[in-house]
Short mmCIF file of all heavy atoms in Angstrom, two decimals:
data_model
loop_
_atom_site.label_atom_id
_atom_site.label_comp_id
_atom_site.label_asym_id
_atom_site.label_seq_id
_atom_site.Cartn_x
_atom_site.Cartn_y
_atom_site.Cartn_z
N ALA A 344 75.10 105.99 102.72
CA ALA A 344 73.73 105.35 103.13
C ALA A 344 72.88 106.38 103.58
O ALA A 344 73.20 107.09 104.63
CB ALA A 344 73.91 104.19 103.98
N SER A 345 71.49 106.43 103.21
CA SER A 345 70.59 107.34 103.60
C SER A 345 70.10 107.16 104.93
O SER A 345 69.41 107.99 105.59
CB SER A 345 69.56 107.62 102.58
OG SER A 345 68.86 106.34 102.46
N GLY A 346 70.32 106.04 105.31
CA GLY A 346 69.90 105.48 106.73
C GLY A 346 69.27 104.23 106.63
O GLY A 346 69.55 103.30 105.69
N ALA A 347 68.46 103.74 107.55
CA ALA A 347 67.69 102.55 107.54
C ALA A 347 66.47 102.69 106.62
O ALA A 347 66.28 103.81 106.20
CB ALA A 347 67.20 102.09 109.06
N PHE A 369 76.32 95.84 112.90
CA PHE A 369 77.29 96.85 113.11
C PHE A 369 78.41 96.47 114.12
O PHE A 369 79.54 96.68 114.00
CB PHE A 369 76.66 98.21 113.53
CG PHE A 369 75.68 98.76 112.51
CD1 PHE A 369 74.82 99.76 112.85
CD2 PHE A 369 75.76 98.26 111.12
CE1 PHE A 369 73.92 100.33 111.89
CE2 PHE A 369 74.85 98.89 110.30
CZ PHE A 369 74.00 99.83 110.50
N ALA A 387 75.30 110.38 104.83
CA ALA A 387 75.87 109.14 105.80
C ALA A 387 74.88 109.37 107.07
O ALA A 387 75.33 109.95 108.05
CB ALA A 387 77.18 109.05 106.20
N LEU A 388 73.65 109.10 106.97
CA LEU A 388 72.61 109.41 108.00
C LEU A 388 72.12 108.24 108.72
O LEU A 388 71.98 107.25 108.10
CB LEU A 388 71.50 110.30 107.36
CG LEU A 388 71.93 111.63 106.73
CD1 LEU A 388 70.86 112.31 106.08
CD2 LEU A 388 72.65 112.62 107.67
N GLY A 389 71.65 108.47 109.90
CA GLY A 389 70.94 107.50 110.62
C GLY A 389 71.72 106.09 110.73
O GLY A 389 72.75 106.11 111.25
N GLY A 390 71.01 105.11 110.31
CA GLY A 390 71.88 103.86 110.28
C GLY A 390 73.01 103.87 109.49
O GLY A 390 74.08 103.22 109.73
N GLY A 391 73.08 104.70 108.40
CA GLY A 391 74.31 104.85 107.56
C GLY A 391 75.51 105.52 108.52
O GLY A 391 76.56 105.00 108.41
N ALA A 392 75.12 106.42 109.28
CA ALA A 392 76.05 107.06 110.22
C ALA A 392 76.53 106.03 111.22
O ALA A 392 77.79 105.95 111.56
CB ALA A 392 75.51 108.28 110.82
N GLU A 393 75.64 105.22 111.76
CA GLU A 393 76.00 104.26 112.75
C GLU A 393 76.96 103.22 112.17
O GLU A 393 77.82 102.78 112.90
CB GLU A 393 74.77 103.67 113.37
CG GLU A 393 73.86 104.72 114.23
CD GLU A 393 72.78 104.15 114.88
OE1 GLU A 393 71.69 103.73 114.21
OE2 GLU A 393 72.81 104.03 116.13
N LEU A 394 76.73 102.76 110.97
CA LEU A 394 77.61 101.98 110.31
C LEU A 394 79.14 102.53 110.17
O LEU A 394 80.01 101.92 110.42
CB LEU A 394 77.17 101.54 108.78
CG LEU A 394 77.95 100.73 108.01
CD1 LEU A 394 78.44 99.42 108.70
CD2 LEU A 394 77.33 100.38 106.66
N ALA A 395 79.01 103.79 109.85
CA ALA A 395 80.31 104.54 109.80
C ALA A 395 81.00 104.56 111.20
O ALA A 395 82.27 104.35 111.24
CB ALA A 395 80.13 105.86 109.32
N TYR A 396 80.28 104.79 112.22
CA TYR A 396 80.83 104.92 113.59
C TYR A 396 81.52 103.54 113.94
O TYR A 396 82.40 103.60 114.79
CB TYR A 396 79.76 105.27 114.53
CG TYR A 396 78.99 106.41 114.28
CD1 TYR A 396 77.67 106.72 114.82
CD2 TYR A 396 79.55 107.56 113.62
CE1 TYR A 396 77.04 107.79 114.71
CE2 TYR A 396 78.81 108.69 113.31
CZ TYR A 396 77.51 108.75 114.05
OH TYR A 396 76.70 109.98 113.83
N LYS A 408 77.54 114.48 104.52
CA LYS A 408 76.54 115.06 105.62
C LYS A 408 76.38 113.83 106.63
O LYS A 408 75.90 112.82 106.29
CB LYS A 408 75.20 115.47 105.08
CG LYS A 408 75.25 116.74 104.27
CD LYS A 408 75.56 117.86 105.13
CE LYS A 408 75.52 119.19 104.40
NZ LYS A 408 75.94 120.46 105.28
N LEU A 409 76.83 114.01 107.81
CA LEU A 409 76.85 112.94 108.83
C LEU A 409 75.81 113.36 109.93
O LEU A 409 75.90 114.54 110.50
CB LEU A 409 78.21 112.74 109.49
CG LEU A 409 79.07 111.82 108.78
CD1 LEU A 409 80.59 112.13 109.01
CD2 LEU A 409 78.82 110.46 109.19
N GLY A 410 75.04 112.43 110.33
CA GLY A 410 74.07 112.84 111.43
C GLY A 410 73.09 111.68 111.73
O GLY A 410 73.10 110.63 111.04
N ASN A 411 72.31 112.05 112.86
CA ASN A 411 71.39 111.02 113.29
C ASN A 411 70.08 111.65 113.57
O ASN A 411 69.68 112.07 114.58
CB ASN A 411 71.92 110.28 114.58
CG ASN A 411 73.04 109.35 114.28
OD1 ASN A 411 74.18 109.80 114.44
ND2 ASN A 411 72.82 108.04 113.94
N PRO A 412 69.16 111.60 112.50
CA PRO A 412 67.87 112.26 112.58
C PRO A 412 66.78 111.43 113.29
O PRO A 412 65.59 111.70 113.08
CB PRO A 412 67.60 112.65 111.11
CG PRO A 412 68.12 111.54 110.39
CD PRO A 412 69.33 111.13 111.12
N GLU A 413 67.07 110.36 113.93
CA GLU A 413 66.10 109.37 114.33
C GLU A 413 65.03 110.02 115.27
O GLU A 413 63.82 109.53 115.15
CB GLU A 413 66.73 108.24 115.07
CG GLU A 413 67.40 107.16 114.15
CD GLU A 413 68.92 107.48 113.82
OE1 GLU A 413 69.30 108.69 114.07
OE2 GLU A 413 69.60 106.65 113.33
N THR A 414 65.32 110.91 116.13
CA THR A 414 64.32 111.48 116.96
C THR A 414 63.37 112.16 116.32
O THR A 414 62.21 112.41 116.85
CB THR A 414 65.00 112.32 118.15
OG1 THR A 414 65.98 113.37 117.42
CG2 THR A 414 65.86 111.57 119.05
N ALA A 415 63.66 112.76 115.03
CA ALA A 415 62.56 113.39 114.30
C ALA A 415 61.48 112.53 113.74
O ALA A 415 60.50 112.92 113.35
CB ALA A 415 63.26 114.12 113.11
N LEU A 416 61.93 111.12 113.77
CA LEU A 416 61.01 110.09 113.33
C LEU A 416 60.25 109.31 114.47
O LEU A 416 59.68 108.28 114.27
CB LEU A 416 61.68 109.07 112.46
CG LEU A 416 62.33 109.66 111.13
CD1 LEU A 416 63.29 108.71 110.47
CD2 LEU A 416 61.23 110.25 110.17
N GLY A 417 60.56 109.86 115.67
CA GLY A 417 59.89 109.18 116.83
C GLY A 417 60.63 108.01 117.34
O GLY A 417 60.04 107.21 118.21
N ILE A 418 61.83 107.84 116.96
CA ILE A 418 62.66 106.69 117.52
C ILE A 418 63.91 107.24 117.97
O ILE A 418 64.18 108.59 117.99
CB ILE A 418 62.84 105.62 116.46
CG1 ILE A 418 63.59 106.09 115.19
CG2 ILE A 418 61.50 105.04 116.14
CD1 ILE A 418 63.89 105.05 114.14
N MET A 419 64.94 106.39 118.37
CA MET A 419 66.18 106.85 118.77
C MET A 419 67.32 106.13 117.84
O MET A 419 67.05 105.17 117.19
CB MET A 419 66.56 106.58 120.24
CG MET A 419 66.49 105.06 120.63
SD MET A 419 66.86 104.73 122.33
CE MET A 419 68.56 104.80 122.23
N ALA A 420 68.46 106.59 117.96
CA ALA A 420 69.58 105.98 117.21
C ALA A 420 70.06 104.83 118.17
O ALA A 420 70.85 105.01 119.08
CB ALA A 420 70.67 106.96 117.00
N ALA A 421 69.56 103.57 117.88
CA ALA A 421 69.74 102.54 118.70
C ALA A 421 70.70 101.40 118.19
O ALA A 421 70.73 100.24 118.71
CB ALA A 421 68.45 101.92 119.00
N ALA A 422 71.53 101.82 117.17
CA ALA A 422 72.43 100.86 116.70
C ALA A 422 73.95 101.22 116.92
O ALA A 422 74.78 100.90 116.07
CB ALA A 422 72.19 100.54 115.21
N GLY A 423 74.18 101.89 118.08
CA GLY A 423 75.57 102.18 118.42
C GLY A 423 75.78 103.67 118.64
O GLY A 423 76.80 104.01 119.30
N ALA A 424 74.97 104.46 118.00
CA ALA A 424 75.35 106.00 118.14
C ALA A 424 75.33 106.59 119.48
O ALA A 424 76.16 107.30 119.90
CB ALA A 424 74.35 106.77 117.27
N THR A 425 74.52 106.13 120.45
CA THR A 425 74.46 106.67 121.75
C THR A 425 75.65 106.46 122.61
O THR A 425 75.93 107.13 123.56
CB THR A 425 73.18 106.09 122.52
OG1 THR A 425 73.32 104.65 122.68
CG2 THR A 425 71.88 106.53 121.87
N TRP A 426 76.42 105.46 122.25
CA TRP A 426 77.77 105.24 122.94
C TRP A 426 78.91 105.39 122.10
O TRP A 426 80.01 105.98 122.57
CB TRP A 426 77.78 103.90 123.70
CG TRP A 426 77.55 102.74 122.80
CD1 TRP A 426 76.28 102.25 122.46
CD2 TRP A 426 78.60 101.84 122.25
NE1 TRP A 426 76.47 101.18 121.64
CE2 TRP A 426 77.81 100.84 121.53
CE3 TRP A 426 79.83 101.71 122.35
CZ2 TRP A 426 78.38 99.81 120.94
CZ3 TRP A 426 80.49 100.76 121.77
CH2 TRP A 426 79.91 99.76 121.08
N ARG A 427 78.90 104.93 120.83
CA ARG A 427 80.08 105.10 119.99
C ARG A 427 80.31 106.62 119.71
O ARG A 427 81.42 107.05 119.55
CB ARG A 427 79.83 104.26 118.69
CG ARG A 427 80.09 102.86 118.79
CD ARG A 427 80.35 102.15 117.34
NE ARG A 427 80.58 100.72 117.51
CZ ARG A 427 79.70 99.75 117.27
NH1 ARG A 427 78.43 100.23 116.98
NH2 ARG A 427 79.93 98.44 117.56
N LEU A 428 79.20 107.34 119.33
CA LEU A 428 79.43 108.78 118.90
C LEU A 428 80.00 109.57 120.21
O LEU A 428 80.79 110.42 119.98
CB LEU A 428 78.14 109.32 118.47
CG LEU A 428 78.19 110.60 117.85
CD1 LEU A 428 79.17 110.68 116.71
CD2 LEU A 428 76.78 111.09 117.50
N ARG A 429 79.59 109.23 121.28
CA ARG A 429 80.09 109.86 122.47
C ARG A 429 81.55 109.63 122.76
O ARG A 429 82.32 110.53 122.99
CB ARG A 429 79.36 109.53 123.77
CG ARG A 429 79.92 110.24 124.99
CD ARG A 429 78.99 109.79 126.18
NE ARG A 429 78.85 108.38 126.40
CZ ARG A 429 77.90 107.91 127.31
NH1 ARG A 429 77.12 108.65 128.04
NH2 ARG A 429 77.98 106.57 127.50
N LEU A 431 83.62 108.90 120.28
CA LEU A 431 84.36 109.53 119.15
C LEU A 431 84.45 110.99 119.26
O LEU A 431 85.49 111.58 118.94
CB LEU A 431 83.54 109.09 117.83
CG LEU A 431 83.70 107.61 117.40
CD1 LEU A 431 82.86 107.28 116.33
CD2 LEU A 431 85.15 107.28 117.09
N VAL A 432 83.32 111.72 119.60
CA VAL A 432 83.36 113.17 119.55
C VAL A 432 83.17 113.89 120.82
O VAL A 432 83.28 115.16 120.93
CB VAL A 432 82.33 113.68 118.56
CG1 VAL A 432 82.56 113.01 117.08
CG2 VAL A 432 80.96 113.31 118.97
N LEU A 436 78.84 117.39 121.93
CA LEU A 436 78.52 117.37 120.38
C LEU A 436 77.71 116.15 120.12
O LEU A 436 76.82 116.21 119.23
CB LEU A 436 79.83 117.22 119.59
CG LEU A 436 79.61 117.19 118.06
CD1 LEU A 436 78.87 118.39 117.57
CD2 LEU A 436 81.02 117.28 117.39
N ALA A 437 77.92 115.02 120.62
CA ALA A 437 77.15 113.81 120.53
C ALA A 437 75.74 114.09 120.88
O ALA A 437 74.75 113.66 120.13
CB ALA A 437 77.62 112.72 121.47
N LYS A 438 75.46 114.79 121.99
CA LYS A 438 74.12 115.17 122.31
C LYS A 438 73.41 116.15 121.32
O LYS A 438 72.24 116.02 121.06
CB LYS A 438 73.97 115.83 123.71
CG LYS A 438 74.22 114.86 124.91
CD LYS A 438 74.17 115.53 126.26
CE LYS A 438 74.13 114.58 127.29
NZ LYS A 438 74.02 115.20 128.70
N GLU A 439 74.30 117.02 120.76
CA GLU A 439 73.70 117.85 119.77
C GLU A 439 73.27 117.21 118.50
O GLU A 439 72.19 117.47 117.86
CB GLU A 439 74.83 119.04 119.29
CG GLU A 439 74.10 120.19 118.65
CD GLU A 439 75.06 121.20 118.47
OE1 GLU A 439 76.07 121.33 119.03
OE2 GLU A 439 74.72 122.31 117.69
N ILE A 440 74.05 116.20 118.11
CA ILE A 440 73.63 115.32 116.97
C ILE A 440 72.47 114.46 117.16
O ILE A 440 71.57 114.38 116.41
CB ILE A 440 74.89 114.44 116.58
CG1 ILE A 440 76.08 115.41 115.99
CG2 ILE A 440 74.51 113.47 115.47
CD1 ILE A 440 77.40 114.67 115.82
N LEU A 441 72.38 113.77 118.41
CA LEU A 441 71.45 112.86 118.71
C LEU A 441 70.09 113.48 119.19
O LEU A 441 69.05 112.82 119.05
CB LEU A 441 71.98 111.78 119.83
CG LEU A 441 73.20 110.95 119.35
CD1 LEU A 441 73.65 110.33 120.63
CD2 LEU A 441 72.78 109.91 118.39
N LEU A 442 70.17 114.46 119.88
CA LEU A 442 68.91 115.11 120.54
C LEU A 442 68.50 116.29 119.76
O LEU A 442 67.26 116.68 119.88
CB LEU A 442 69.32 115.50 121.95
CG LEU A 442 69.90 114.45 122.85
CD1 LEU A 442 70.00 114.94 124.26
CD2 LEU A 442 69.07 113.12 122.83
N ALA A 443 69.40 117.03 118.97
CA ALA A 443 68.96 118.26 118.32
C ALA A 443 69.02 118.18 116.86
O ALA A 443 68.82 119.15 116.14
CB ALA A 443 69.79 119.43 118.88
N GLY A 444 69.50 116.95 116.26
CA GLY A 444 69.39 116.80 114.88
C GLY A 444 70.45 117.43 114.04
O GLY A 444 70.32 117.70 112.88
N ARG A 445 71.63 117.87 114.66
CA ARG A 445 72.66 118.53 114.03
C ARG A 445 73.30 117.47 112.98
O ARG A 445 73.60 116.36 113.36
CB ARG A 445 73.67 119.08 115.07
CG ARG A 445 74.83 119.67 114.27
CD ARG A 445 75.80 120.40 115.27
NE ARG A 445 77.07 120.95 114.54
CZ ARG A 445 77.98 121.43 115.22
NH1 ARG A 445 77.93 121.72 116.52
NH2 ARG A 445 79.07 122.04 114.54
N GLN A 446 73.57 118.05 111.85
CA GLN A 446 74.44 117.24 110.83
C GLN A 446 75.74 117.92 110.57
O GLN A 446 75.78 119.10 110.58
CB GLN A 446 73.59 117.19 109.53
CG GLN A 446 72.31 116.31 109.70
CD GLN A 446 71.60 116.23 108.30
OE1 GLN A 446 72.10 116.51 107.27
NE2 GLN A 446 70.32 115.79 108.36
N LEU A 447 76.84 117.07 110.53
CA LEU A 447 78.18 117.66 110.31
C LEU A 447 78.43 117.55 108.86
O LEU A 447 78.26 116.56 108.15
CB LEU A 447 79.03 116.86 111.06
CG LEU A 447 78.85 116.66 112.63
CD1 LEU A 447 80.08 115.93 113.27
CD2 LEU A 447 78.77 118.16 113.18
N LEU A 457 85.90 113.12 113.82
CA LEU A 457 85.03 112.00 113.45
C LEU A 457 85.59 111.41 112.13
O LEU A 457 85.31 110.15 111.86
CB LEU A 457 83.68 112.54 113.31
CG LEU A 457 82.53 111.48 113.05
CD1 LEU A 457 82.41 110.41 114.07
CD2 LEU A 457 81.07 112.10 112.99
#
Side-chain angles (χ1 to χ4, degrees):
S345 59
F369 297 164
L388 301 175
E393 291 184 293
L394 173 56
Y396 304 155
K408 288 292 183 183
L409 272 157
N411 291 93
E413 282 88 345
T414 51
L416 298 172
I418 59 173
M419 63 175 282
T425 55
W426 56 278
R427 282 198 181 99
L428 189 57
R429 179 172 58 189
L431 290 168
V432 304
L436 181 55
K438 283 183 174 178
E439 194 170 354
I440 293 169
L441 295 170
L442 308 181
R445 179 174 174 180
Q446 293 182 12
L447 303 182
L457 187 56

